[in-house]
Amino acid sequence: MAKSNTLFIIDPIAFGGGSKNATVSLLKQLPAGQFHIRVLTNDPESWPLPDCEHLPLWRPRWLPGGNHGLGYLIRHLLTAATGLKACLKHGRPALLLGASGPGVDFSLFLLKKLTGWPLLQLVHGPVGHSRMLGRSLAAADKVCFLDSCQDSMTAALRKAGYRFTPVKARFQSFINGLCPDQWPGACQYEQPRLLWAASLLKWKGLDRLLLALESLPVEHRPDSEICYLRPKQTQLPVSESGQPIARIHWHENPVNFDAIRARCNLFISTSVREPFGLSVLEAMAAGHCLVIPADGAYWDSVLMDGVHCIKYPPGDHDALASTILWLSRDMKSVQRIGTRARQLAENYRAETCYQPVVDVITELCSPPAADVSVRLPFIQRVKARIGGARHG
């Protein structure tokens, strides 16, 4: 396999999540043996891909945090320098792949500005209303995005003086899907059992679920499985875990997650305005009865209340508690709604959902793009100016 078929990813997030899982599912759809994937990361467990090379991402302890300002820029400048060093050592990639969004992948934008290498930016979540991020989107050779992110992308591009034109080939929407090896086992419908699965980031809403469950008398509270990922190296607010609450069972990043999910049948989503919600799709495929907020997010727009799910007012833990109590006493409705959700999940097969992005990757890595000699346009411009000054 030619080195020119290498995809280079910088992963600055030190814990797993939905966007990483979706990107891994996407990359599994690439033609076998035709691409090499190199990931600069401190979370190699999140990248279980064949023909994938993991390189450690150097992050000094003194590196400033934050999502904006001088500290943000310094962090990404150092990350870009680390990425350039890795590419010079291990070989020029055919494609820089931003696996999350321009805010997380800003170091790849800097690397593209320095080298001229092609960049594909995936957008899995809202884009910050920032001129800098708008310029990053405009600089990408291709942008593949979830439809729920279009408004924020448009705002960022407008802030930078650009217009979002989805009809142009540079922008391509997609939806997430599940690989065959990720397809969940079927759930049981004998006894009510609740599942919540997400990271402990505050916006995921675990505290809201705990308030709802604690408001129910213990004898009427369904057994509940809380499966969570603990965020690392983040300044975002995080919920507590492991509280000794009757009939609630805690699992941190369980290796037997599919078995836990199979013994449950009520999936509770407490995230507000989730861009997609891969765990919701997985619960649908398992046949769970979904309980989701009516917040205008992706699944709220796709699923019908009372048919594929039950909806509750976002942020209302009392309404959530009443919904949980009703469903835990009505297993016929749980099975009916879960069965229809499972049928709908069949439309979200990875091999179909990710094909547009696979086509984009293949296009960007194909000749003549992959055969262009190494260029450093920024450096060349500096050299040209120095030479002109000397001869002027």
Side-chain angles (χ1 to χ4, degrees), residues 307-372:
V307 178
H308 309 106
C309 69
I310 298 297
K311 301 180 182 182
Y312 66 95
D316 190 338
H317 68 271
D318 290 328
L320 178 58
S322 299
T323 301
I324 292 172
L325 182 61
W326 158 50
L327 289 171
S328 65
R329 293 173 171 176
D330 187 358
M331 289 305 297
K332 287 186 178 179
S333 292
V334 169
Q335 183 170 3
R336 172 179 56 82
I337 294 171
T339 299
R340 290 180 176 174
R342 182 172 60 240
Q343 293 168 349
L344 185 61
E346 291 290 336
N347 296 328
Y348 292 84
R349 295 278 180 177
E351 56 269 29
T352 301
C353 294
Y354 293 127
Q355 190 58 49
V357 188
V358 169
D359 292 341
V360 168
I361 292 174
T362 304
E363 173 194 342
L364 290 173
C365 292
S366 64
D371 293 335
V372 175

Side-chain angles (χ1 to χ4, degrees), residues 179-329:
C179 297
D181 61 353
Q182 294 176 307
W183 210 260
C187 71
Q188 56 86 19
Y189 296 116
E190 296 176 3
Q191 297 292 331
R193 199 173 191 96
L194 182 151
L195 174 67
W196 184 92
S199 77
L200 292 177
L201 292 172
K202 278 278 188 182
W203 73 271
K204 294 290 185 177
L206 174 59
D207 299 335
R208 193 171 303 118
L209 173 63
L210 297 181
L211 284 173
L213 290 174
E214 287 186 290
S215 71
L216 298 175
V218 174
E219 62 272 17
H220 298 309
R221 185 184 304 163
D223 283 305
S224 303
E225 310 286 356
I226 308 295
C227 298
Y228 63 92
L229 294 172
R230 189 180 303 278
K232 301 174 184 177
Q233 299 177 12
T234 181
Q235 294 187 331
L236 296 175
V238 175
S239 297
E240 293 184 14
S241 63
Q243 299 93 313
I245 304 173
R247 306 190 75 170
I248 293 181
H249 314 281
W250 298 89
H251 311 273
E252 182 173 359
N253 194 19
V255 295
N256 61 333
F257 177 60
D258 188 56
I260 295 172
R261 180 170 48 208
R263 65 175 180 248
C264 300
N265 41 51
L266 282 167
F267 183 85
I268 311 298
S269 173
T270 49
S271 304
V272 178
R273 302 291 299 177
E274 183 83 52
F276 183 83
L278 202 59
S279 59
V280 174
L281 176 57
E282 292 170 342
M284 290 169 59
H288 282 208
C289 175
L290 307 175
V291 180
I292 67 172
D295 58 355
Y298 178 79
W299 289 116
D300 181 30
S301 66
V302 170
L303 304 179
M304 294 179 61
D305 188 21
V307 178
H308 309 106
C309 69
I310 298 297
K311 301 180 182 182
Y312 66 95
D316 190 338
H317 68 271
D318 290 328
L320 178 58
S322 299
T323 301
I324 292 172
L325 182 61
W326 158 50
L327 289 171
S328 65
R329 293 173 171 176

Side-chain angles (χ1 to χ4, degrees), residues 18-40:
S19 63
K20 289 188 188 181
N21 293 338
T23 303
V24 167
S25 296
L26 188 162
L27 294 174
K28 286 181 178 179
Q29 308 311 308
L30 293 172
Q34 293 188 21
F35 293 90
H36 179 68
I37 299 161
R38 184 175 294 132
V39 185
L40 195 63

Side-chain angles (χ1 to χ4, degrees), residues 1-3 5-8 30 33-38 50-53:
M1 184 199 65
K3 288 184 178 179
N5 284 339
T6 296
L7 310 182
F8 184 66
L30 293 172
Q34 293 188 21
F35 293 90
H36 179 68
I37 299 161
R38 184 175 294 132
D51 201 16
C52 182
E53 180 183 3

Side-chain angles (χ1 to χ4, degrees), residues 59-120:
R59 292 195 68 173
R61 293 182 180 180
W62 55 263
L63 201 61
N67 296 318
H68 53 81
L70 183 60
Y72 172 87
L73 183 59
I74 292 173
R75 185 170 75 250
H76 281 281
L77 281 169
L78 290 176
T79 302
T82 305
L84 179 61
K85 180 181 178 181
C87 291
L88 293 176
K89 179 179 179 180
H90 297 277
R92 173 191 183 273
L95 182 65
L96 305 174
L97 178 60
S100 183
V104 173
D105 302 318
F106 186 68
S107 56
L108 286 178
F109 163 74
L110 297 174
L111 197 54
K112 175 180 173 55
K113 294 293 287 184
L114 181 66
T115 65
W117 297 336
L119 169 63
L120 167 61

